[in-house]
Amino acid sequence: MANTAQARKRARQSVARNKHNSSLRSMMRTSIKRVRQAIDAGDQAAANEVFRKASSVIDSVADKNIIHKNKAARHKSRLAAAIKAMA
């Protein structure tokens, strides 16, 4: 375990940061699932609306370096392509 005060503090901080990052990552995954559900339901108007909100969530998670910007772009691109394919 951590032997110095600095190492103990870093361990405490990493636990808190991990909890926060996990929450944001989960929120992103949920927003992506909502878009997929709207696509599967066949409702393009609803899918576009949910996609707009999901894009914002994905971008904010990427801005915080929780996921890589290219991964965010890939998610958004694939969701947009799936919505476009509905038409």
Side-chain angles (χ1 to χ4, degrees), residues 1-2 5-23 25:
M1 269 322 274
Q6 176 187 6
R8 283 191 292 272
K9 180 177 179 179
R10 293 299 298 171
R12 283 196 310 272
Q13 287 177 324
S14 69
V15 168
R17 191 172 298 111
N18 180 268
K19 194 181 296 186
H20 183 251
N21 290 349
S22 296
S23 170
R25 200 175 300 113

Side-chain angles (χ1 to χ4, degrees), residues 44-79:
Q44 189 170 12
N48 278 319
E49 180 62 27
V50 179
F51 173 67
R52 195 178 55 77
K53 292 176 185 171
S55 294
S56 174
V57 171
I58 293 168
D59 283 335
S60 72
V61 170
D63 287 341
K64 294 173 179 144
N65 287 325
I66 295 168
I67 63 166
H68 196 275
K69 293 207 183 290
N70 289 358
K71 181 174 182 173
R74 183 172 66 243
H75 277 300
K76 289 176 10 181
S77 174
R78 288 179 181 172
L79 290 173

